[in-house]
Every structure is written in C-alpha cells, then in structure tokens.
Amino acid sequence: MNDVWLARRLTKVTNRQQDHRDPFQRDRARILHSASFRRLQAKTQVMGSGKSDFYRTRLTHSLEAAQIGSGITAQLRGKYPELCAAHFPKSDSLIETICLAHDIGHPPFGHGGETALNYMMRDHGGFEGNGQTLRIVARLETFSEHFGMNLTRRTLLGLMKYPQLINSLSRKTKPECVESFRQLKADDWHPAKGLYSDDQDIIDWVLEPLSSADRTLFQSMSSQGENMPDNNQHNKTRFKSLDCSIMELADDIAYGIHDLEDAIVTNIVNRTDFDREVIAKLQQIDDPWLQEYSKTLTDKLFSDHHHLQKDAIGGLVNYLITAIKLSDLNEQDELNFAEPLLRYNATLPASTAQALNIFKDFVYFYVIKLTSLQRLEYRGQQIVMELFQALSSDPIRLLPTNSAKRWQLAFDNKQNPQRVIADYIAGMTDDYATRLYQTLFNAHGASDYRLS
C-alpha cells in the first residue's frame, strides 16, 4: 500500500512502548474510545432512542455495519485474492473503522434533527450528517489539538461518502423561509449530501495524492443534460472510494435487513403488508435461490420462535454479502481513474441490488414514514431549531465554556461562528437535547448545571 494513504496530518504522535498495532488498528481504537462514538448509544436509528431496550440505536447499527463490512472484505479476498492483496490491508481494521464511524456526525432525533440544523444553517454553509462526520473525526474530537482523531488519510477518504461541497450540490432555488418553525416542511429543507466549505483544508489534504484529473472526476456531479436535476433538486456526487463503497453496502444491508427485524419484533409492520410489498416483488426477480427462499420467509420472520427469525435474517444477510463483487469502473463505465482506490468499487449484481432495494423501500415507507415516528421526528425537529435560535441569541452567555471560546475565536477571525453552534447541537444525544430544551424553556424544568 502506498505510504501516502497511511499519512496523518499531525505527524508527531506519541510513540508508546511496544505498540505493534498497524495504522488502521490505531484508527479503530480512536473511534471506539471517542465521546462521539459513545453518544451514538443515545441517538435515534429508526425508532426513538430510549423507548425500548430492545431495538437498535445508532451505536448498535454501527456495530452491525462493522461486522457486515468485515464479512464483505472476507468474501472479496476469497473472490479476488490478487486485487485484495494489492489494495486491502491484511486485517479488517480499516473497513471496521469506517463502518464504526460512518454515523458519528448524525445529530439528535435522526433526520428531523438534520433537517432542522440545515434550515438554521441555510445562510451559513448548511448542515449534513456525513459532512459532520468528517468534521468530527478530522477537526473536533479531542485526541489532538487541531486535527480531531488524527486518522490516516485512507480512513478519511473512506468516510467521504459524498466528496463535494454542499454549496456546489445545493439546488439553485431555495425554499422560502417560514414565519414559524412549526410550519417548516421537512421535505423542503433536506440537505444536499456533501461536505462543508468550512472544512476545505481537510478535503484538500485528503485528496492531495490524487492527480488533477482523478480529483476532478472523483468530485464530479450528476451528468449534464436530461439527467441533470432542475433548480428545485440537489445535485448528487457520482463516485466513492473502494473502502467507502464497502461501507455503504454494509450500511444498506444493516438498514434494510436488521432494522426490518426491529419493526417485525415490535409489531410495527404486519404480515399482509410484508407479503404484498416484499414477497410478491421478490418472487418477480429472476433469481431461483431468492424465489425459493422467499416462499417461507414470511412464516419465519413473523414466527413466535425467535430462532427461526434469526435464521431467516442471517440467510438474507449472507445472500447479500456473498453476491458482492469488485467492479472496475474504468472498464465498466469507460472512465480513466489512475488511483486504484477510486478505480475499484464493491457492487451488487443488478438482481441482488433490486432485492435489497425492496427491503430498504419497505423499511422506509412502512416504518420510517409511520405517522407515530414522523411525529417524534417533528418534535425533535422543533427542539433542535429552538435550541439553535436560543443559543445563537447570546452564544457567549449560553454556550458551554469551550464552545463559547470557539465561537468567539471564529467571530474574531471572521470565519463562521454559526458552525460552532451547529457542532454543539449536533453532538448532543436525544436525551441531552431534550433536557437542555426543558432547562431553557420549561418554567418547571429542573435546572441541570451538568448540561454545561
């Protein structure tokens, strides 16, 4: 592996006696021991954090994604031994690190919190969970003074899910601002998926080893012409690195299959809808194994015997993981990437990708879009916007000491002090944000000085 991808921005790192870990094992340790990672235990995944001790939080989702990611790399090593020997580290620490960290930037209350922060930051560079992830690991976490966890360049590249600036990706026509937060429609203010202009120095350092042609292609957006979004749609990035493509597949499988398990066990979805929206569609896919497996899938998933549910879930995950292949984008799409980490991507065959999308769509429309969950998301959206409004009214007075100092420094240097407020709120757990809201706005709320 080219040493340039093992580099860290801060080169002077403490040498600990008899530390034989490879660079990616160190990266994984920094993720696991970070405050941002621990906070995922109290952040909403699909269903509200704290409502049950059974279903998944963003922490357990990230752990499952890491396990699936290592399973994917094991399969790829078996299928493509020479390619993997050339471009993968010997251990799974790299992929596990990226999967463990991929949701660190998501704010409290899921997409409700993300939409709220994007609205409040609409004139200050926007907000997006994946962009916040890069910011946390490369700037905000306290492992180093200025460079966050000081991770390797390759790990940071793997966390760049959308390698272009939000400012470049955002739709040209912005919706009108609302008179009252309660009137804000989430669909109008979903962020473009990208990175912050405030973090341009991080982006430039990560992409520094790329040739000018590779960087331009890697950061390119949706093709011009009939596929180009109109003024009312966000642009989208086109490419991801090899490691990021594995993480994205692991994330999708964990979301589409394991989050479905939560919905079934907690009786949020029913057999009739599942048969109609999943089984009937799976039966139409030209895949003999899937057609046969899906015949008994409903009975197993909705069985009172939990071992049958686990067996069914495990079979689906194995089906998806073992189908993943390495695609050469230069040959497949007639591209010209010189960097192997950009040239190769992990992909699913069309029929298997179709099956995964059926599960993901079912979770989206029958779980995430459920009225009761949308109401919780709406409530979280209101909490986040009101917190932002209050904190920005008098930051030095209301922000905790460290954040207040960062705000003042940004203000004095004519940078973007509002980003500091977004950083503070984005780092909150669902419960922390709720308690701070009660402290500020509820006359009978308990005063909890530990919130600072």
Side-chain angles (χ1 to χ4, degrees), residues 259-424:
D259 290 349
L260 170 65
E261 180 185 9
D262 279 0
I264 291 172
V265 174
T266 52
N267 296 316
I268 285 182
V269 297
N270 60 62
R271 292 177 62 111
T272 302
D273 290 338
F274 187 78
D275 276 333
R276 183 183 66 252
E277 299 297 332
V278 176
I279 300 301
K281 294 177 181 178
L282 293 178
Q283 285 289 321
Q284 296 174 12
I285 297 176
D286 185 17
D287 185 326
W289 183 92
L290 187 62
Q291 289 179 356
E292 183 64 28
Y293 194 78
S294 61
K295 288 179 181 177
T296 59
L297 185 57
T298 301
D299 287 337
K300 289 182 177 180
L301 288 178
F302 288 85
S303 170
D304 291 331
H305 301 289
H306 295 307
H307 70 279
L308 293 178
Q309 292 175 335
K310 287 295 182 185
D311 181 62
I313 292 293
L316 288 172
V317 172
N318 183 71
Y319 162 72
L320 294 166
I321 288 177
T322 54
I324 293 171
K325 60 183 181 180
L326 277 181
S327 296
D328 185 336
L329 301 185
N330 287 0
E331 293 181 1
Q332 179 177 296
D333 299 325
E334 297 183 357
L335 301 173
N336 194 31
F337 278 123
E339 171 55 57
L341 294 182
L342 306 185
R343 174 177 177 176
Y344 297 101
N345 267 196
T347 60
L348 278 171
S351 60
T352 318
Q354 184 182 352
L356 178 55
N357 284 332
I358 289 171
F359 285 105
K360 287 171 60 182
D361 287 346
F362 184 74
V363 171
Y364 180 76
F365 288 109
Y366 284 84
V367 183
I368 290 177
K369 285 299 185 181
L370 199 67
T371 300
S372 60
L373 295 184
Q374 285 298 307
R375 287 175 175 173
L376 290 173
E377 191 173 286
Y378 174 84
R379 182 180 69 183
Q381 179 179 306
Q382 302 304 309
I383 290 172
V384 167
M385 287 189 288
E386 294 211 36
L387 285 178
F388 194 104
Q389 185 181 56
L391 294 171
S392 60
S393 71
D394 197 346
I396 299 302
R397 177 187 181 194
L398 298 176
L399 285 173
T401 304
N402 287 338
S403 294
K405 289 179 179 177
R406 288 184 55 234
W407 186 93
Q408 188 67 61
L409 185 64
F411 180 83
D412 292 342
N413 292 332
K414 294 183 170 57
Q415 295 174 340
N416 186 4
Q418 297 298 87
R419 179 67 64 195
V420 176
I421 299 174
D423 289 340
Y424 176 51

Side-chain angles (χ1 to χ4, degrees), residues 13 16 20 47-49 67 74 107 152 185 195 221 223 228 241 252 263 312 338 405 442 449-450:
V13 178
R16 293 187 169 86
H20 301 296
M47 289 169 264
S49 171
Q67 177 61 34
T152 60
K185 292 183 179 179
L195 307 171
M221 299 178 286
S223 301
M228 189 70 178
S241 70
D252 285 350
K405 289 179 179 177
N442 186 343
Y449 295 102
R450 289 174 298 175

Side-chain angles (χ1 to χ4, degrees), residues 137-156:
V137 300
R139 192 184 302 283
L140 300 180
E141 266 289 349
T142 56
F143 180 88
S144 67
E145 186 175 3
H146 301 295
F147 304 119
M149 298 182 195
N150 196 34
L151 304 178
T152 60
R153 181 183 265 122
R154 179 162 176 177
T155 296
L156 294 178

Side-chain angles (χ1 to χ4, degrees), residues 426-445:
M428 296 178 183
T429 63
D430 296 13
D431 183 60
Y432 183 106
T434 301
R435 286 188 289 120
L436 180 56
Y437 179 88
Q438 291 171 342
T439 300
L440 291 174
F441 301 117
N442 186 343
H444 302 290

Side-chain angles (χ1 to χ4, degrees), residues 29-43 59 104 136 140-143 149 427-429:
R30 294 175 191 186
I31 296 293
L32 285 170
H33 293 294
S34 69
S36 300
F37 184 71
R38 290 196 301 276
R39 290 190 190 107
L40 294 178
Q41 68 185 308
K43 289 192 178 186
L59 179 67
I104 272 181
I136 288 172
L140 300 180
E141 266 289 349
T142 56
F143 180 88
M149 298 182 195
M428 296 178 183
T429 63

Side-chain angles (χ1 to χ4, degrees), residues 69 72-73 76 88 95 242-251 346:
I72 293 172
T73 56
L76 293 177
F88 281 166
I95 296 301
L242 169 60
D243 304 321
C244 187
S245 70
I246 295 174
M247 176 268 282
E248 185 174 46
L249 284 171
D251 185 25

